[in-house]
Amino acid sequence: MFTGFVSFCLVSSALSQSAEAAHQIPLIEVEVGKNVTLQCPVTEKDGKFVHWFKQSPGYIIQTVATGSYTKQTLSEEFNNGRFTVSEGQALYFLSMRNVQKEDEATYSCQYGSAYSQTFNTSVYLAVNGKLCDIEQRSVYVKQTPEAVSVHPGSSVTLQCSLFSNNNENRSECPDEHRVYWFRAGSGQSHATIIYAHRNYSQKQEGRRCVHSLSKTIQSSSDAGIYYCAVVTCGEIVFGEGTQVETRQKWDPVIIVLGTLLALCVIVIAVLILSRD
C-alpha cells in the first residue's frame, strides 16, 4: 500500500513539475571503473522520506533506494555491493563503486513528507570510456599449483588467477568475463571442456581475481593437464595448466604381507649365515 502511495506521489510530482519551465540538470562525468557519490541536500529530516530513482534513456524509471530519514534500503536490483546509500548532517548520499557504462542515467532524489514529495535533486551521470579499452591486452592468467598428485577418491582444488598488467590499483574483478576449464588426458589429441561459469565463484585478492575449481579425482581417467581459459573483452587468455596425477593407495593387507615376507627373507638369510 505504501509503495502504491509513493508511486502516486511520484506521478503527482512529475505532473505538477511539467507545468513549470524546463530546467537543465547538472552533469557529472566519471570514467569507467571509478567511484562516484551523488548528494541530495535537505533542510530537515524529522518525519521525512527520501527516494533515489534512476532514469536511463529510453527506459522507465527504476527505484534505486527508498526509506525514511532513519533508514534507507536499496532495491533488490541495486543491492549488489556496488551501490550504497547513507546520510549526513543535512545530506543524503548515493554512492557507486566501479562505475559501468550501464550506470549512465539521470539520478533523482525525491524528498518530502508522506503527503507531499518533490524531486529535490536530479543529475545526469555520464560514463566515459569502455572497460575493454582499459583491460584489452592487459591481463594474464596464472594457474596454481603447477602439479598435484592425489589418491583416487580425493578432492583437488585448482586456482586460476587473472592478473592486470597495466592497472595495479584496480580493486574489482572484471564484470564481463567467462572462465572455462579444460582437461587434456593422456593419449587425447584435444582438450575437453569440463566446466564453465561467468562472474561467480570469484574473489578479489589484491591485484588478482581468483577463480577456483574443486574436483574429486575418481580414478586415473580423471588425471591429465587441467587448463583454465578466461574470455574478456573478446580475447581468450589461457593458463599454462596444472598437471593432475593419481597415486595408488597401498592396501594394508599388502603392506603387512610385504613386511612379513621381508622378515622371512631376513630370518632365512641369518639361518644360512649361522650354519657357515
Side-chain angles (χ1 to χ4, degrees):
M1 175 134 185
F2 178 74
T3 304
F5 179 75
V6 170
S7 300
F8 172 77
C9 291
L10 175 62
V11 174
S12 300
S13 288
L15 291 175
S16 64
Q17 291 183 5
S18 64
E20 301 177 359
H23 296 282
Q24 288 187 334
I25 62 175
L27 171 70
I28 294 180
E29 294 185 80
V30 62
E31 298 293 327
V32 168
K34 300 296 184 180
N35 303 333
V36 67
T37 297
L38 308 181
Q39 298 183 358
C40 177
V42 296
T43 55
E44 57 179 328
K45 292 185 177 180
D46 291 342
K48 300 295 183 179
F49 295 89
V50 62
H51 310 277
W52 285 98
F53 297 99
K54 174 185 177 182
Q55 173 71 69
S56 300
Y59 292 88
I60 63 174
I61 295 177
Q62 295 174 280
T63 301
V64 179
T66 182
S68 66
Y69 75 100
T70 55
K71 182 180 180 181
Q72 298 179 73
T73 303
L74 288 166
S75 300
E76 181 178 357
E77 182 179 353
F78 297 91
N79 191 15
N80 54 16
R82 291 201 305 113
F83 290 80
T84 55
V85 286
S86 58
E87 53 97 10
Q89 184 70 26
L91 290 170
Y92 288 100
F93 301 100
L94 172 63
S95 300
M96 284 173 268
R97 297 189 307 110
N98 188 26
V99 173
Q100 304 300 305
K101 195 65 178 178
E102 58 267 24
D103 294 329
E104 186 168 277
T106 297
Y107 291 86
S108 302
C109 170
Q110 189 185 47
Y111 168 75
S113 65
Y115 303 100
S116 176
Q117 296 194 17
T118 58
F119 283 105
N120 193 41
T121 300
S122 291
V123 61
Y124 186 82
L125 181 67
V127 181
N128 298 324
K130 297 180 180 179
L131 188 61
C132 290
D133 293 340
I134 298 173
E135 294 184 347
Q136 190 74 22
R137 302 188 183 280
S138 64
V139 297
Y140 67 95
V141 170
K142 181 177 178 59
Q143 288 185 235
T144 54
E146 294 183 0
V148 62
S149 179
V150 296
H151 294 296
S154 300
S155 296
V156 62
T157 299
L158 310 179
Q159 286 193 338
C160 177
S161 300
L162 181 63
F163 287 86
S164 171
N165 286 320
N166 298 336
N167 192 352
E168 296 187 0
N169 295 322
R170 181 171 176 80
S171 59
E172 295 293 326
C173 293
D175 279 345
E176 292 299 329
H177 71 289
R178 292 179 180 270
V179 175
Y180 296 88
W181 288 90
F182 300 86
R183 182 182 68 86
S186 59
Q188 292 181 341
S189 57
H190 301 285
T192 55
I193 186 170
I194 59 173
Y195 194 69
H197 62 78
R198 175 182 178 182
N199 294 343
Y200 56 82
S201 185
Q202 69 179 21
K203 62 179 179 178
Q204 186 74 30
E205 292 184 358
R207 198 167 58 91
R208 64 174 183 164
C209 181
V210 181
H211 293 267
S212 298
L213 173 69
S214 295
K215 180 174 176 58
T216 300
I217 306 301
Q218 300 290 357
S219 64
S220 58
S221 61
D222 291 327
I225 302 178
Y226 286 73
Y227 297 94
C228 77
V230 179
V231 182
T232 178
C233 297
E235 181 178 344
I236 303 176
V237 187
F238 282 90
E240 296 182 352
T242 296
Q243 178 73 53
V244 177
E245 298 177 342
T246 57
R247 59 175 182 263
Q248 188 64 41
K249 287 185 177 180
W250 287 98
D251 192 324
V253 175
I254 296 177
I255 295 176
V256 171
L257 291 176
T259 303
L260 292 175
L261 178 61
L263 291 175
C264 289
V265 172
I266 294 173
V267 171
I268 293 171
V270 171
L271 291 174
I272 292 173
L273 292 175
S274 64
R275 292 183 63 182
D276 295 340

